[in-house]
Amino acid sequence: MISSLASARIFDLEQPRYSGAPSHPAHSPGYNYFLHRHHARGASEARTSASGLVVMPEHSGTHIDALSHQAENLTLHGGVHVDGVQTSVGFRELGIDTMPPLVGRGVLLDVARDKRLAPEHSITSEELERTGVDVREGDVVLVRTGFGALWGEPAQYLTAAGVSAAGSRWLMDKKVKAVGADNMAWDVIGPADPELHVTLPGHLLLLVRAGIPIIENLNLEELAQAGVTEFTFICLPLKMRGATGSPVRPIALVAET
Amino acid sequence: MISSLASARIFDLEQPRYSGAPSHPAHSPGYNYFLHRHHARGASEARTSASGLVVMPEHSGTHIDALSHQAENLTLHGGVHVDGVQTSVGFRELGIDTMPPLVGRGVLLDVARDKRLAPEHSITSEELERTGVDVREGDVVLVRTGFGALWGEPAQYLTAAGVSAAGSRWLMDKKVKAVGADNMAWDVIGPADPELHVTLPGHLLLLVRAGIPIIENLNLEELAQAGVTEFTFICLPLKMRGATGSPVRPIALVAET
Amino acid sequence: MISSLASARIFDLEQPRYSGAPSHPAHSPGYNYFLHRHHARGASEARTSASGLVVMPEHSGTHIDALSHQAENLTLHGGVHVDGVQTSVGFRELGIDTMPPLVGRGVLLDVARDKRLAPEHSITSEELERTGVDVREGDVVLVRTGFGALWGEPAQYLTAAGVSAAGSRWLMDKKVKAVGADNMAWDVIGPADPELHVTLPGHLLLLVRAGIPIIENLNLEELAQAGVTEFTFICLPLKMRGATGSPVRPIALVAET
Amino acid sequence: MISSLASARIFDLEQPRYSGAPSHPAHSPGYNYFLHRHHARGASEARTSASGLVVMPEHSGTHIDALSHQAENLTLHGGVHVDGVQTSVGFRELGIDTMPPLVGRGVLLDVARDKRLAPEHSITSEELERTGVDVREGDVVLVRTGFGALWGEPAQYLTAAGVSAAGSRWLMDKKVKAVGADNMAWDVIGPADPELHVTLPGHLLLLVRAGIPIIENLNLEELAQAGVTEFTFICLPLKMRGATGSPVRPIALVAET
């Protein structure tokens, strides 16, 4: 296994992190980094250290949502009422620290193919199915809208296509382990679902009802260009106690042939 | 590869993150998380979101050092002078965002074995060698002091044993890809090396002179208990532009037999 | 007025702010400052700027509590229920931004006099009265425990004496405009009041029931040494929208004779 | 003095603080507040506390610049070289904590009068003089551009008029104690001074050469509308150790007649 992995091609699915990168208004001020310890003249020895401070919502950049991120009628996944578990420094249950490393089969449903989807297009379950990719129980399913290429254009990026409630249901029924997309919110941002009467219906369906985590702001461009639809997916959320998500650098591994 | 990985045993090498966890004084105030968006009554729909803010030095908890973290006479690895590349928001070169995912052979040099090393013990190259583990070019080498078990006791944890300058040189000579340990600073904190006249000599040798990144605050307890010395090591630093390191959740994978 | 003020003696009632200063556990990580923009070589012109980032609870150091800081049965002062006004970025009502500058008569009730009160001593209304100071409607009343001299000793400082529930009631009855003390919490930290069944009873009485703001962590040493009991008190809270308090630098002015 | 002050009219010269308020790009991400401790159901007693975290550059909103904020050829006011005093957590000399409370005569030079100055207009010394206000040694001099009325329009606000180098020199010669304006940077942002060859020349002249602090982002609208040109000015910088400035809430007091 070691040698096959060491020689595998690695696809880096994380978008770069910097101040000014796309950010959802709810997660203001986005990612920020302040280098305050500088390599400076006058040190007492030849060796110096530089380091800084990161200030960021856990939902900044490429990240994974913990189950505590969403509630339906103040109840988290598994019927946990928020009153008993929500504190000023995080959740006593269903925090990101309870999520094991994700290592396993990943598939890419490249809905966008060779052109980006229309802004705010709502991806149907048929569109997911039509990709022809075999989705199995326990898979991590990544959906490509093509908006990942617009990471450098925050205003446009925020108008991305997303997965419809029906699309999220289709994936729930497949019993996938996790889902992800190359957009800010998995769902289309804005409209309320006519049936569920909530905005971001996929968040309610997947995180609250099904207990399936969502990965957002993936960069799926290189994977799509290589035509890869099946891979080993690895995503390692930081064990930040009680946090509702974690920045991550997911990778896809493909055996070199 | 997918199925062998999916069935592999995963060793989680990250210490948990919370306010009050061990932290080097230079990296005050350590990790902090503030949950400010609460699931609350009175929302306009049944679905609610909770999320927060992370405030942390990039060198908090289990993390990897980028090459820009250290300088010798104001010069980074490869002869890059700091004046041209050091800015208030990070480094223009050798930031953590330039580090590719680490995926490959890892080995554990369990120097502590069944008892923790003495506080501030300086691990010699002989002690590393005596573990009998075959260290190869390109390996990620993890050294166990046993202090990882004391993560819950910050004052004691900070007195950990570390690798001597000679130990770091021995690993440089082996041309390893990265090193790591279950302590705060790889080196013993405090004393200046009599030869190099710097504190934390391994930081100067590995990061500046050899360009070998260092992983700190690993939890190697479970790996040691299982008697594993060779594994697939995976560590995925966040691409925080210009930062001098990144929190990480490294894992070791071992094929189930 | 200008000339009398310009020639007045100014007593500075603020404690210095730095990382490591006394901080209530609820307000972790206390005050922090990171200088990331340095005066550095290589600038494009002779002039350079340095500046940094402040990360602090609004209740750090010398500060004033807004009325939204405290609730009784989820209701703020004036019968405002929290559900309608509490948001993730502050309060829609009774935030510190609604507090006008405090300019007016101030009095010092120097209960400690020439020795510090006993740790956790609960100051009675009789002790307040016995100072002999004439307390009038609309005054700002500052109570001295003597613990302000221990600002450099955080552990000791946190054991300070405080004002009893009866003392707070006595001041409510006087219809004072604001109160303050040279300790962390006005009240003694810890014990529940036997009658009100809450900890920090003064917070409930003054902020919620009477609408009287509380100033904490004052330095009253110089004022006491000068034997001043009546002065012009000036305190200028920052108008941070919806925040539950503000760091302040209160001063006492006394006409030079 | 107490009664005259208590009956004085108070002009509040601070702009409100909130996320999204005007901010200089160098001081990203501006002011932010996160309310993480909420009044919440399930508390162990009837009293609850709410509070949050402030994350802000010290140069956000209405603030005063400390002398350490600016250097000329790496030298601060008084010939202090930065190498000896600049640290990752602030300055060992000339930090804002060394600035005493400002209490004294203030004057308003209302250059804008009944209409706002043109964007990026550079106010000459003649324009300052033509206001006819008697400027005396030791005064705090506030200059009105009229842009304070545009605080709610960040893009427009950042194009404000400012004081020319000649204007700053004129004030230096008057030996004023401090200066301030209703704009982001005192100077016009952008152009280099043809003589001094630096941008923001007033910063170099006043802070470095003359040791005169600058107050920025004042709200002078109400003062101008009332036609007040002479007043008691009070400004109380927070004693943040080593910081290069402080948010403030300055006030002007005028005796009611």
Side-chain angles (χ1 to χ4, degrees):
Chain A
M1 186 173 74
I2 295 175
S3 58
S4 73
L5 265 174
S7 67
R9 176 166 174 193
I10 299 173
F11 293 87
D12 182 351
L13 309 182
E14 186 200 25
Q15 297 280 10
R17 297 177 190 279
Y18 52 88
S19 173
S23 176
H24 190 283
H27 301 298
S28 175
Y31 170 84
N32 287 275
Y33 176 68
F34 306 93
L35 185 82
H36 69 297
R37 298 178 68 236
H38 290 209
H39 300 299
R41 281 145 185 92
S44 57
E45 57 183 61
R47 187 188 62 78
T48 54
S49 291
S51 64
L53 188 80
V54 177
V55 175
M56 64 174 174
E58 75 267 48
H59 297 269
S60 61
T62 308
H63 69 277
I64 187 165
D65 292 349
L67 301 187
S68 54
H69 179 42
Q70 297 289 305
E72 181 174 11
N73 296 319
L74 301 178
T75 305
L76 308 178
H77 178 67
V80 178
H81 196 277
V82 299
D83 281 351
V85 299
Q86 186 173 238
T87 82
S88 62
V89 292
F91 284 86
R92 293 205 183 92
E93 294 186 29
L94 301 178
I96 193 63
D97 51 318
T98 63
M99 192 181 290
L102 290 169
V103 178
R105 185 176 186 257
V107 293
L108 175 67
L109 307 196
D110 184 2
V111 181
R113 290 192 174 261
D114 51 359
K115 54 176 187 175
R116 194 162 40 247
L117 297 180
E120 299 179 1
H121 171 73
S122 187
I123 298 169
T124 63
S125 55
E126 290 74 25
E127 287 175 292
L128 296 177
E129 199 154 15
R130 231 180 290 147
T131 60
V133 175
D134 176 30
V135 176
R136 303 180 196 155
E137 184 172 340
D139 279 356
V140 174
V141 179
L142 309 184
V143 177
R144 181 170 172 269
T145 68
F147 279 78
L150 296 175
W151 188 246
E153 307 289 340
Q156 270 189 273
Y157 184 82
L158 284 165
T159 68
V163 178
S164 66
S168 291
R169 276 189 207 279
W170 185 80
L171 289 162
M172 284 167 67
D173 292 345
K174 297 280 190 187
K175 302 195 164 131
V176 300
K177 186 159 61 181
V179 301
D182 57 344
N183 62 9
M184 182 59 71
W186 173 258
D187 297 274
V188 177
I189 295 175
D193 184 73
E195 203 178 321
L196 291 165
H197 306 296
V198 298
T199 55
L200 308 182
H203 276 64
L204 185 145
L205 293 168
L206 293 162
L207 291 167
V208 185
R209 295 199 183 168
I212 296 171
I214 304 172
I215 308 168
E216 289 155 331
N217 299 324
L218 288 161
N219 183 345
L220 304 172
E221 296 308 290
E222 194 189 352
L223 208 54
Q225 277 153 29
V228 173
T229 57
E230 184 187 31
F231 43 85
T232 299
F233 179 78
I234 302 180
C235 176
L236 305 171
L238 299 173
K239 290 185 294 187
M240 305 188 293
R241 188 179 286 172
T244 72
S246 172
V248 287
R249 184 180 194 176
I251 56 172
L253 294 174
V254 179
E256 287 291 52
T257 50
Chain B
M1 186 174 73
I2 296 175
S3 59
S4 73
L5 266 175
S7 67
R9 177 166 174 193
I10 299 173
F11 293 86
D12 182 350
L13 309 183
E14 186 200 24
Q15 296 282 10
R17 297 177 192 278
Y18 52 87
S19 173
S23 177
H24 190 282
H27 300 299
S28 174
Y31 170 85
N32 286 275
Y33 177 68
F34 306 94
L35 186 83
H36 68 296
R37 300 178 67 234
H38 289 209
H39 299 300
R41 282 147 183 91
S44 57
E45 57 182 63
R47 186 188 63 78
T48 54
S49 291
S51 64
L53 187 80
V54 177
V55 176
M56 64 174 174
E58 74 268 49
H59 297 269
S60 62
T62 308
H63 68 277
I64 186 164
D65 291 349
L67 301 188
S68 55
H69 178 41
Q70 296 289 307
E72 181 174 9
N73 296 319
L74 302 177
T75 305
L76 308 179
H77 178 68
V80 178
H81 195 275
V82 300
D83 280 351
V85 299
Q86 186 173 238
T87 83
S88 62
V89 292
F91 285 85
R92 294 204 182 94
E93 293 186 31
L94 302 178
I96 193 64
D97 50 320
T98 63
M99 193 182 288
L102 291 169
V103 178
R105 185 175 186 256
V107 292
L108 175 66
L109 307 197
D110 185 0
V111 181
R113 290 192 176 262
D114 51 357
K115 55 176 186 175
R116 195 162 38 248
L117 297 180
E120 298 177 3
H121 171 74
S122 186
I123 298 169
T124 64
S125 55
E126 290 73 25
E127 287 175 292
L128 297 177
E129 198 154 16
R130 230 179 292 146
T131 61
V133 175
D134 175 28
V135 176
R136 303 179 197 156
E137 183 173 340
D139 279 357
V140 175
V141 179
L142 309 184
V143 177
R144 182 171 172 268
T145 68
F147 279 78
L150 295 175
W151 188 247
E153 306 289 342
Q156 270 189 273
Y157 184 81
L158 284 164
T159 67
V163 179
S164 66
S168 291
R169 276 188 206 278
W170 185 80
L171 290 162
M172 283 167 68
D173 292 345
K174 297 279 189 187
K175 302 196 163 130
V176 300
K177 185 159 61 181
V179 301
D182 58 344
N183 62 10
M184 182 60 70
W186 175 258
D187 297 274
V188 177
I189 295 176
D193 183 73
E195 204 177 320
L196 291 164
H197 306 295
V198 299
T199 56
L200 308 182
H203 276 65
L204 185 146
L205 293 168
L206 293 163
L207 291 167
V208 184
R209 297 200 182 167
I212 297 171
I214 304 172
I215 308 168
E216 289 155 329
N217 298 324
L218 289 162
N219 183 343
L220 303 172
E221 296 307 291
E222 194 189 351
L223 208 54
Q225 277 153 30
V228 174
T229 57
E230 184 187 31
F231 43 86
T232 299
F233 179 79
I234 302 179
C235 176
L236 304 170
L238 300 173
K239 290 185 295 188
M240 304 188 293
R241 187 178 287 171
T244 72
S246 172
V248 287
R249 184 180 194 175
I251 56 172
L253 294 174
V254 179
E256 287 289 52
T257 50
Chain C
M1 187 174 74
I2 295 174
S3 57
S4 73
L5 265 174
S7 66
R9 177 166 173 192
I10 299 173
F11 293 87
D12 182 351
L13 309 184
E14 186 200 24
Q15 296 281 10
R17 297 177 191 278
Y18 51 88
S19 173
S23 176
H24 190 282
H27 301 300
S28 176
Y31 170 84
N32 286 276
Y33 176 68
F34 306 93
L35 185 82
H36 69 296
R37 298 178 67 235
H38 289 210
H39 299 300
R41 281 145 184 93
S44 56
E45 57 182 61
R47 186 187 62 77
T48 54
S49 292
S51 64
L53 188 80
V54 177
V55 176
M56 63 173 175
E58 74 267 50
H59 296 270
S60 61
T62 308
H63 68 277
I64 186 164
D65 292 350
L67 301 188
S68 55
H69 178 42
Q70 296 290 305
E72 182 174 10
N73 296 319
L74 301 177
T75 305
L76 308 179
H77 178 68
V80 178
H81 196 277
V82 300
D83 280 351
V85 299
Q86 186 173 238
T87 82
S88 62
V89 292
F91 284 85
R92 294 205 183 90
E93 294 186 28
L94 302 178
I96 193 64
D97 50 320
T98 63
M99 191 182 290
L102 290 169
V103 177
R105 186 177 186 254
V107 294
L108 175 65
L109 308 196
D110 184 1
V111 181
R113 289 190 176 262
D114 51 357
K115 55 176 189 175
R116 195 163 38 248
L117 297 180
E120 299 179 1
H121 171 72
S122 188
I123 298 169
T124 64
S125 54
E126 290 73 25
E127 287 175 291
L128 296 178
E129 200 154 14
R130 230 180 290 147
T131 60
V133 175
D134 175 30
V135 176
R136 304 179 197 154
E137 184 172 339
D139 279 355
V140 174
V141 179
L142 309 184
V143 177
R144 180 168 172 270
T145 67
F147 279 79
L150 295 175
W151 188 247
E153 305 290 341
Q156 269 188 273
Y157 184 81
L158 284 164
T159 67
V163 178
S164 66
S168 291
R169 277 189 206 279
W170 185 80
L171 289 162
M172 284 167 67
D173 292 345
K174 297 280 190 188
K175 302 198 164 125
V176 299
K177 185 159 62 180
V179 301
D182 58 344
N183 62 9
M184 182 59 72
W186 173 259
D187 297 273
V188 177
I189 296 175
D193 183 74
E195 204 177 318
L196 291 164
H197 306 294
V198 299
T199 55
L200 308 182
H203 276 64
L204 185 145
L205 293 168
L206 293 162
L207 290 167
V208 184
R209 296 199 182 166
I212 296 171
I214 304 172
I215 308 168
E216 289 155 331
N217 298 323
L218 288 162
N219 183 344
L220 303 173
E221 295 309 289
E222 194 189 351
L223 208 54
Q225 276 153 30
V228 173
T229 57
E230 184 187 28
F231 43 85
T232 299
F233 179 78
I234 302 179
C235 176
L236 304 171
L238 299 172
K239 289 185 295 186
M240 305 188 292
R241 188 179 286 171
T244 72
S246 172
V248 287
R249 185 181 192 174
I251 56 172
L253 294 174
V254 179
E256 287 290 51
T257 51
Chain D
M1 187 174 75
I2 296 175
S3 58
S4 73
L5 266 175
S7 67
R9 178 167 173 192
I10 299 173
F11 292 86
D12 182 351
L13 309 183
E14 186 200 24
Q15 297 281 10
R17 297 177 191 279
Y18 52 88
S19 173
S23 175
H24 190 282
H27 300 300
S28 174
Y31 170 85
N32 287 275
Y33 178 67
F34 306 93
L35 186 82
H36 69 295
R37 299 179 67 234
H38 289 209
H39 300 299
R41 282 146 183 92
S44 57
E45 57 183 61
R47 186 188 62 77
T48 55
S49 291
S51 64
L53 188 79
V54 177
V55 176
M56 64 173 174
E58 74 267 50
H59 297 269
S60 62
T62 308
H63 69 278
I64 187 164
D65 292 349
L67 301 188
S68 55
H69 178 41
Q70 297 289 306
E72 182 175 8
N73 296 320
L74 302 177
T75 304
L76 308 178
H77 178 67
V80 178
H81 196 277
V82 300
D83 280 351
V85 299
Q86 186 172 240
T87 82
S88 62
V89 293
F91 284 85
R92 294 204 182 93
E93 294 186 31
L94 302 178
I96 193 64
D97 51 319
T98 63
M99 193 182 290
L102 290 169
V103 178
R105 186 175 185 255
V107 292
L108 176 66
L109 306 197
D110 185 1
V111 181
R113 291 193 172 261
D114 50 357
K115 55 175 186 175
R116 195 162 38 247
L117 297 180
E120 298 178 4
H121 172 72
S122 187
I123 299 170
T124 64
S125 54
E126 290 74 25
E127 287 176 292
L128 296 178
E129 198 153 15
R130 229 180 292 148
T131 60
V133 175
D134 175 29
V135 176
R136 302 179 198 157
E137 184 173 339
D139 279 357
V140 175
V141 179
L142 309 184
V143 176
R144 181 170 172 268
T145 68
F147 278 79
L150 296 175
W151 187 247
E153 307 289 342
Q156 271 190 271
Y157 183 82
L158 283 165
T159 68
V163 179
S164 66
S168 291
R169 276 188 208 278
W170 185 79
L171 290 162
M172 284 167 67
D173 292 345
K174 296 280 190 189
K175 303 198 163 130
V176 300
K177 186 159 61 181
V179 301
D182 58 343
N183 62 10
M184 182 59 72
W186 174 257
D187 297 274
V188 177
I189 295 176
D193 184 72
E195 205 177 319
L196 291 164
H197 307 294
V198 299
T199 56
L200 308 182
H203 276 64
L204 184 145
L205 293 168
L206 293 162
L207 291 167
V208 185
R209 296 200 183 166
I212 297 171
I214 303 172
I215 308 168
E216 288 155 330
N217 298 323
L218 288 162
N219 182 345
L220 304 173
E221 296 308 290
E222 195 189 353
L223 207 54
Q225 277 153 30
V228 173
T229 57
E230 185 187 28
F231 42 86
T232 298
F233 179 78
I234 302 179
C235 176
L236 305 171
L238 299 172
K239 290 185 294 188
M240 305 188 292
R241 188 179 287 172
T244 72
S246 172
V248 287
R249 184 181 194 176
I251 56 172
L253 294 174
V254 179
E256 288 289 53
T257 50

